[in-house]
Amino acid sequence: MSKRSWMLKFGFALLIPLLGGCAFGGHRSLPYDDWSLRFFSLDYMEVWIETADVVDINKRVFRGVGSGIPAGTYPRPFSKGIPTHFRGDPKGWPKHPIGKGRFVRGADLPRLVYVRWQSMAEPQTYEAYIEIPESARNTMLQGEKTFCRADGKWITDYRDMLVVGLAPGGVAKVWLGGQCLLSTEVTRVQGTINPEGPYGGTSKGKHRPLSEESKAYIDQFGIPYGSW
């Protein structure tokens, strides 16, 4: 699906583009300043996020709120060469992921997240439309008493982190977490292959290169499809 088709599908041509997040602060219903959109990939199943866009409950569009390399454990940053023993395990999902990302400044509660990414392990380019359930939005508004180890105090924390895991085969799974709260599962979405290919078709089908370590793992153990 082209970017234009996606915009038409969700009526984006009728929406007012986001020009300044702070200008809309008075229209928000959040008990905190901002919520964050975070991503992670699984061990050796490297990912490059081309774009992540958000539509909030007021039908406002926030483009480009995610891109680049998501959080991941293996291969480690700046690691070189192939290890004698692979310590990572890409099968299944972590129980309480945190991910990394950025704040969606000025947004109200999320209604839809669109993400397009390169799964370098395959390689393939996927896109997914993640509808955030109303139950999850309600959870984002509920304060929870918790002990925060960071400062050793009991606080009221909120699940203001939307965490998305990306796996080969186009699978996207979502959690809600807080700074001092464990993540809880929200939804799982099966994405589709983006027909334009990597970089919107501008790279002639060439994906970003997989690291030497990840390639060696996949050559030896394969990709554990079906575990996500």
Side-chain angles (χ1 to χ4, degrees):
M1 180 181 293
S2 68
K3 187 173 182 180
R4 177 176 174 80
S5 298
W6 171 62
M7 291 172 64
L8 292 175
K9 178 177 179 180
F10 290 98
F12 284 178
L14 303 178
L15 302 178
I16 300 174
L18 177 68
L19 297 177
C22 296
F24 297 98
H27 298 280
R28 298 188 300 154
S29 57
L30 304 178
Y32 37 80
D33 292 335
D34 303 284
W35 57 273
S36 62
L37 179 62
R38 297 165 173 250
F39 293 92
F40 72 92
S41 61
L42 301 158
D43 294 346
Y44 311 113
M45 305 293 115
E46 293 179 68
V47 162
W48 175 265
I49 299 171
E50 293 191 346
T51 188
D53 307 324
V54 169
V55 181
D56 74 4
I57 57 174
N58 296 318
K59 298 183 180 181
R60 287 179 288 123
V61 183
F62 297 74
R63 304 187 191 282
V65 296
S67 62
I69 301 173
T73 305
Y74 293 98
R76 295 185 181 279
F78 309 113
S79 62
K80 296 181 180 180
I82 301 172
T84 55
H85 175 68
F86 292 100
R87 298 178 60 188
D89 184 359
K91 294 187 291 293
W93 297 103
K95 289 185 178 180
H96 304 291
I98 298 176
K100 74 173 184 179
R102 65 186 70 170
F103 288 103
V104 187
R105 302 291 186 186
D108 209 315
L109 295 169
R111 181 172 67 90
L112 176 76
V113 175
Y114 168 80
V115 57
R116 185 176 71 249
W117 75 98
Q118 295 181 30
S119 173
M120 290 123 71
E122 298 174 88
Q124 189 59 267
T125 303
Y126 296 102
E127 61 184 355
Y129 301 90
I130 305 169
E131 295 186 22
I132 306 304
E134 184 177 2
S135 58
R137 292 195 291 269
N138 290 336
T139 299
M140 294 178 73
L141 296 175
Q142 297 171 6
E144 299 181 39
K145 289 289 185 181
T146 184
F147 183 78
C148 193
R149 294 182 179 180
D151 53 16
K153 297 179 181 178
W154 283 91
I155 65 168
T156 298
D157 198 9
Y158 292 87
R159 297 186 184 278
D160 55 359
M161 302 188 312
L162 195 65
V163 184
V164 182
L166 301 172
V171 178
K173 193 168 185 177
V174 183
W175 290 257
L176 275 177
Q179 190 67 33
C180 299
L181 294 169
L182 296 177
S183 301
T184 59
E185 295 183 16
V186 172
T187 189
R188 179 186 182 279
V189 173
Q190 177 60 59
T192 58
I193 295 174
N194 184 288
E196 294 180 339
Y199 301 109
T202 61
S203 66
K204 298 181 180 179
K206 186 176 181 180
H207 290 81
R208 291 181 63 86
L210 190 65
S211 71
E212 184 181 17
E213 182 175 343
S214 294
K215 183 179 185 304
Y217 179 93
I218 294 169
D219 287 345
Q220 183 172 348
F221 300 104
I223 298 175
Y225 291 110
S227 68
W228 307 299

